[in-house]
Amino acid sequence: MMDSKLNLDKSKIKKARQLSKEIAGPVNEYISQHTTVAIERATLRLLGADGVSKDEVPVPNMVINSLGDKIQYGAAKYYINALIRKNVSPQELNELIADGLDISSIDFTDQKLIDQKAEELVEGAAKRIKENVAYRSGKIDQYKEKENSPLLYLIVATGNIFEDVKQAQAAAKQGADIIAVIRTTGQSLLDFVPYGATTEGFGGTYATQENFKIMRKALDEVGEETGKYIRLVNYCSGLCMPEIAAMGALERLDMMLNDSMYGVLFRDINMYRTFVDQKFSRMINAFADITINSGEDNYLTTSDAYEKAYTVTASQFINEQFAYDSGLPAKLMGLGHAFEINPQMENGFLYEMAQAQMAREIFPEAPLKYMPPTKYMTGDIFKGFIMNAMFNFIAKSTNQGILLLGMLTEAIHTPFMQDRFLAVENARYILNSTKDFSNDIEFKKDGIMQTRAQDVLDQTIEFLENINQQGLFDSIENKMFAEVSRPKHGGKGFDGVTEKAKDYFNPVYKYLENELGLK
Amino acid sequence: MMDSKLNLDKSKIKKARQLSKEIAGPVNEYISQHTTVAIERATLRLLGADGVSKDEVPVPNMVINSLGDKIQYGAAKYYINALIRKNVSPQELNELIADGLDISSIDFTDQKLIDQKAEELVEGAAKRIKENVAYRSGKIDQYKEKENSPLLYLIVATGNIFEDVKQAQAAAKQGADIIAVIRTTGQSLLDFVPYGATTEGFGGTYATQENFKIMRKALDEVGEETGKYIRLVNYCSGLCMPEIAAMGALERLDMMLNDSMYGVLFRDINMYRTFVDQKFSRMINAFADITINSGEDNYLTTSDAYEKAYTVTASQFINEQFAYDSGLPAKLMGLGHAFEINPQMENGFLYEMAQAQMAREIFPEAPLKYMPPTKYMTGDIFKGFIMNAMFNFIAKSTNQGILLLGMLTEAIHTPFMQDRFLAVENARYILNSTKDFSNDIEFKKDGIMQTRAQDVLDQTIEFLENINQQGLFDSIENKMFAEVSRPKHGGKGFDGVTEKAKDYFNPVYKYLENELGLK
Amino acid sequence: MEGQNMMIRPYGDTMNDGAIQLSFTLPVPHSAKADEAARQYAKKLGFNEVEVVHSNPLSDKFTFFVIYGKTTQQLDYDKVEVEAIEKTMDYYEVNNYIEENIKRKIVVVGACTGTDAHTVGIDAIMNMKGFDQHYGLERYPMIEAINMGAQITNEELIERAVELNADAILVSQVVTQKEVHIQNMTDLIELMEAEGVRSKMLVVAGGPRISNKLALELGYDAGFGRGTFPENVASFVVEKMVEKKAVSS
Amino acid sequence: MEGQNMMIRPYGDTMNDGAIQLSFTLPVPHSAKADEAARQYAKKLGFNEVEVVHSNPLSDKFTFFVIYGKTTQQLDYDKVEVEAIEKTMDYYEVNNYIEENIKRKIVVVGACTGTDAHTVGIDAIMNMKGFDQHYGLERYPMIEAINMGAQITNEELIERAVELNADAILVSQVVTQKEVHIQNMTDLIELMEAEGVRSKMLVVAGGPRISNKLALELGYDAGFGRGTFPENVASFVVEKMVEKKAVSS
Ligand code: B12
Ligand code: B12
Ligand SMILES: Cc1ncc(COP(=O)(O)O)c(C=O)c1O
Ligand SMILES: Cc1ncc(COP(=O)(O)O)c(C=O)c1O
């Protein structure tokens, strides 16, 4: 389907992939030896743990808290043991724990029984997730031809899940293919997942399993009405990456923001914690056939899009590598990039098109996620609206997979309903009017766009070589990404990382490794 | 500088030019045998006639009215004769005429004396116009590098020349290169040119010599301030084509709307009248180095831009031919076309780009004038604003010469000051950001754009052949242009056409024919 | 929803938040003072939580502003009465209606009057081919439709209508700058009254800035705005004709 | 212009025409009635010559409108008082001013507080490299500038400022949804007062939606909005320090 416009040197692309593999090596080594509180909580959730105590502490957190150091053996063992010992259902056990039961000190039953129960519970969760996968692919097949290309991705962010539902349904009717419920500011720093339906968030709505369920239902409804499968997105990133992935898998989310380094760089979460967490979260997403979205756009909100374009490309390679290492196929890799070029820049459109086309040619199977202008958006909503149009144009002309629609009020407030409508109108006009433009043009040999892409690829390789020499951990400390330095042992959540004991037990992890062919 | 993107067949272009020549032939035959009241008035003005009577009748009209049938001999003779006989200056004679002097019945003096005086007067007017030309080219050379490419063309249309001045100066400061003062609705149907500074127009401001002068001064002022030569545009079209051309030449206008058929088709002016008038008006413009703008955009306000694209191309060929026949070089031919493609049309952008590129390749030296979306503009100012952005994009990417900026409020009102600002902002962003896009891409061989352009060229030839067979006069009657039929002897102003007597005298016409190498 | 009291306010992202976007120009130089003036101006207009999110000089003397604000003003939606004429019959129904109720072809004369040269609107209503897949009046078997085109004086229009014994006059007005349409429309009615023919035919106006309300105020039988289809005006004319006859007989 | 009474109104294309563009959404289904409601609503807001130039359904229950209207409301421009702090000294002048008037390095601690993670604004003010060719405070030889970054709690910020004996605290607030910044900014001042340190240092706020007015209301010494440069806040801080010392001594 795709022929090259950029005339990129294939061997250089290969070289970049090789470097990423080498970079990921030591990190994977570390990952394989560690677990985290979030991984354990996610595991518990997939086994059935849920609910909150009177003081709103989630059951998975209560278990982890009571375990202390013992989590090195895997929380699953304790939870399953308690189920057997108390001879109760997960539901009943959850209530007991919520009421104060400490399961860390219950005597262990026969490991065989535990293995058996584990298998039963894992199968149960796996079945539910597989049904979700089957349902989704059925619906997508059924409604395929009504989808936009690229898929139109719209955010809702009222802070109140019930308002979000209204906005999301309206957006779907206006033509959205994907709805992302933005999370409330600050949630990524919480080391637990809030519980239940919520109505109070700032700049976004809490990610909770109940909120997922409510929105899923609302989108299925409006999807049936409009004859389309509306995809639902939320955010894994933060201190609860694997936990949110687990909840998403259970509630049939379709996409998850899930970057291998975002939390480190942009939320000051400890790097070891993030690397360990992201692996398991991505395994869950892979199993649940959930597309991940990486966060390369964020680099450009602080750094210059022209100067630092190569950091985006490098991060895409790294994200790809870690994704493969977690069992994610290319078709689930919504690698990110963004139209953050300075609108004042002469030929900015060409540089941006070169960059977008380059991502397309380097990652031909990935449903690239293209982010709209944000940094240079101002209160001049009119100017902003045409910047969004140029962005939509490039998205279409370089065959991006997922188009996060820009809002004309980006610099002002989280979207009003009308802002979203105008964004869809903008995109639909451009996408339709320029439909086959991409197929109808070629880039001039050694022209501005070709040269630019080749330069960025060269810079990327140089950069990856540099990282490979220093090692990824030190590179981050040395401010090589996003112009920010994160100390290896600093940031949030490092105390949640534990070396696994030799007899660490995690039936979910094991199951997924098998299913995903990672072992 | 330009290489072909469209792969058009050169012999077909040649063929179209040949057909246009054949089409113009019989019309030129008619033109050469006739004069009109407007030609005579224009001639008088260039010889010095000016002013109005107590009842606001312009002196040139008073002369023509008093001449009756005698205009077949040329009004100049009577005017010059009166100057000699009365031994007065034009200024003094104008006052006498305004007060009621009938110069049609003054005995003729020696023809030699008349010829001598004629030469003196023509030289005077020619000198003034040549000085205008020299001044203009000096300024343009001086300020060349500050000009936008394409030149940004903005309209003012308050109805009040003094408000127009404010708006025009503001627009120039915002970045406009060209200011057009739109005429009041209805002026094109007046068979005289109003006098003096005016403050009452609807949808535009009266074209008067005084208004020209006022605006010229204002633009020179703001031009010096911003270090740019700001071009001034007005409208020849209508019943006073040559007269307005004459006034424009004297007051250093830089561009004139001047189409060979616009008045016939869109103002129901008699076709013989228009053809005869346009010739002399274009001769004046050619001499004054004034760029003409043809009105092909108007075809698309009534007909569909996709279906009837060939009528635009055909009209461009015809306009070109008549322009050559009036002594206009290609560099003064601002041939028109317009972005009136239905925004709902799949691949509309591609068809539009093909059409604009085709005009560029067929008329490589002409400063093509590209008109913005108007027909599909609605009250949705946001959507309209991005349609204008796509229009600006194509203008830049196909190297148009003159870019008439679209207004986001096109469907609502004549432009507010802020509308104009937003239009300039839109254009500047797009022009700068896509600066070298045109040089950086090629069109795919036999792709949608190439095929489209080739098809339109074929249709154009077929259409021109058809017109050539019927003759241009009958073609117009037979509704072949703009889906409107104009009877040969119908419309306004036919009674102003007169066959020239054998000893018809017009020293201005003669002078221009010589200067322009038409004889 | 109908019947009960329904107070409404604009909606941004929360019910009744009253959020509104504005833009305008003030005749002052661009400065911090100008921004503050814009803010205060918006407050004077009754907005609160006013944010001047953008300002830009248009010249040394003018500044452009984009503003977001909130208002607590509310409107009782149930009390809103629509004067627009909602679509009634379609092409076939209109023809049948004429055959059954009027029993002869009706005569309609249309024009875009004054110096206004915009033919597309009146053509959309009258021409054979119609508009957006809706047949124009010329196509209606039971309507004799005469489209005089544009730039027709009121005198010419009346003369023709009288000559043809028209049942209705259709006037199009597109140019509205400096309220030129009001003058023009008023003149037509006065002329018709002076000639004593106003009561003999329906007079209907249309154009993108014409509302039924405005037309009624100016003494017309109806007015039609943007997006009108031929059958809308046809329905109105024939029903009104029958209604008038019922009254007068 | 100053001095004499200068009443202003928005300008479209004629002085004092009062022309304004609006857009908003109403919670009603798209219909002729909705259009009329929008028109009446704009009238209620005090506009006349209201034209609903566009309307579009956003869902079964909401409709979007674009409106142009005119207003006769006017504002006395001479009475407008600007509370924004106009730029005063530049980089060199500020340093000289400190050397001459304070005679020691001053200490400034900055942070983006609460859950707000937007560092770019505070970085623009404080980081070495600055913003748009304007050096940040870290570069000023006479300023000791400590940028704590984002997501800093009010407690942490105060603790650090007290520890360093800071002359001024700089607070950045970018997220303003549901007025979260008001709460956060108020808390800081209350906490400082509770700890008895409010009077010991200047407290200055900034962010795209922060105005000097708002900051003063919340008990800050000043507030800075969009487009602030480092020297703007530096000028204010040093002059205020000198002014305060003059008063207290
Ligand atoms: C096409 C066009 C032209 C063409 C007209 C070609 C032609 N043969 O008609 C040309 C290029 C010639 C032209 C010229 C001018 N135009 Co013009 N033109 C337009 C344009 C782009 C579209 C109008 C149109 O065709 N709409 C499509 C039709 C189908 O819609 P409609 O007219 O609204 O009609 C519908 C309804 O209103 C209703 N309707 C209309 N009439 C009637 C009558 C009856 C009885 C009924 C029941 C219903 C009805 O039904 C129709 C179908 O739904 C508009 C801008 C825009 N996008 O709207 C400007 C616009 C109308 N023009 C404008 C102006 C000022 C002019 C000029 C005066 C400019 C100048 N000074 O040179 C000239 C002169 C014309 C003149 N003397 O009147 C202004 C009017 C501003 C104002 N509010 O006063 C506009 C809004 C552009 C602008 N922003 O400046 N124009
Ligand atoms: C970049 C950006 C981000 C980046 C931040 C990266 C970083 N390291 O800072 C990322 C992607 C991480 C991000 C995330 C979010 N963002 Co954000 N973001 C933006 C964006 C695009 C630009 C902000 C910016 O950098 N401006 C450039 C700087 C230089 O300008 P500034 O901050 O105004 O600072 C200037 C002045 O205000 C002043 N100033 C600022 N602080 C101070 C302090 C002092 C003392 C002084 C004197 C002056 C001063 O001086 C500065 C220089 O002139 C804006 C949209 C926009 N275009 O404005 C949204 C925006 C600010 N973000 C928004 C939101 C909601 C979020 C999220 C909460 C969304 C979510 N739920 O996930 C998250 C979470 C962040 C959090 N917890 O706070 C909203 C805020 C809406 C509102 N009004 O409440 C905005 C407006 C986008 C939107 N329309 O939704 N964001
Ligand atoms: C990969 C990724 N995760 C998460 C987020 C959201 O951030 P938060 O941590 O505030 O939820 C973003 C936002 O840009 C992102 O790119
Ligand atoms: C060639 C030409 N002449 C004149 C005009 C202006 O029209 P008028 O002044 O006849 O109303 C136009 C407007 O589109 C035009 O294209």
Side-chain angles (χ1 to χ4, degrees), chain C residues 159-178:
Chain C
E159 192 183 309
R160 191 67 176 277
V162 170
E163 180 185 312
L164 293 167
N165 211 348
D167 298 295
I169 286 183
L170 303 186
V171 180
S172 181
Q173 286 285 277
V174 177
V175 176
T176 60
Q177 221 204 11
K178 308 246 159 93

Side-chain angles (χ1 to χ4, degrees), chain B residues 158 173-174 203 411 414 418, chain C residues 25 56 58 60 177-178 209:
Chain B
T158 66
K173 284 194 185 153
Q174 288 156 23
T414 46
Q418 67 200 41
Chain C
T25 299
N56 216 100
L58 297 186
D60 314 340
Q177 221 204 11
K178 308 246 159 93
R209 307 263 91 80

Side-chain angles (χ1 to χ4, degrees), chain D residues 1-187:
Chain D
M1 281 186 190
E2 305 286 326
Q4 80 201 65
N5 243 30
M6 190 187 160
M7 302 304 286
I8 58 170
R9 260 189 224 169
Y11 174 93
D13 65 356
T14 309
M15 214 54 179
N16 292 322
D17 58 17
I20 289 191
Q21 174 268 327
L22 298 99
S23 77
F24 56 78
T25 299
L26 289 179
V28 297
H30 186 231
S31 62
K33 183 170 170 185
D35 282 6
E36 177 59 18
R39 207 183 62 79
Q40 291 186 15
Y41 194 84
K43 289 228 153 201
K44 277 214 158 188
L45 291 171
F47 294 97
N48 37 53
E49 296 184 40
V50 171
E51 298 208 34
V52 179
V53 297
H54 180 68
S55 62
N56 217 98
L58 298 186
S59 76
D60 313 341
K61 298 189 197 89
F62 291 92
T63 305
F64 173 59
F65 304 93
V66 180
I67 289 182
Y68 279 80
K70 296 192 167 166
T71 165
T72 52
Q73 200 53 262
Q74 45 188 18
L75 180 79
D76 188 344
Y77 191 58
D78 293 326
K79 296 242 172 73
V80 173
E81 273 172 35
V82 199
E83 284 137 11
I85 294 133
E86 309 267 350
K87 177 182 181 306
T88 42
M89 295 184 275
D90 69 13
Y91 171 76
Y92 302 99
E93 291 164 346
V94 167
N95 283 308
N96 289 340
Y97 186 93
I98 302 177
E99 279 176 14
E100 281 169 28
N101 296 289
I102 311 189
K103 302 187 178 81
R104 61 164 175 86
K105 269 185 131 174
I106 67 163
V107 180
V108 169
V109 181
C112 182
T113 57
T115 55
D116 200 329
H118 291 87
T119 56
V120 183
I122 189 76
D123 285 353
I125 300 298
M126 303 196 72
N127 277 11
M128 219 33 117
K129 75 172 176 186
F131 172 56
D132 211 8
Q133 262 82 295
H134 295 246
Y135 292 150
L137 303 186
E138 289 177 359
R139 171 91 53 132
Y140 284 62
M142 294 304 294
I143 301 184
E144 173 86 35
I146 296 94
N147 181 355
M148 295 178 68
Q151 298 182 326
I152 303 299
T153 61
N154 286 330
E155 289 78 358
E156 284 167 332
L157 176 58
I158 298 173
E159 192 184 309
R160 191 68 178 275
V162 169
E163 180 185 310
L164 293 167
N165 210 350
D167 298 296
I169 287 183
L170 304 185
V171 180
S172 180
Q173 285 284 279
V174 177
V175 176
T176 59
Q177 221 203 13
K178 308 246 160 93
E179 313 275 290
V180 62
H181 60 309
I182 308 273
Q183 191 54 49
N184 205 20
M185 285 169 69
T186 310
D187 287 354

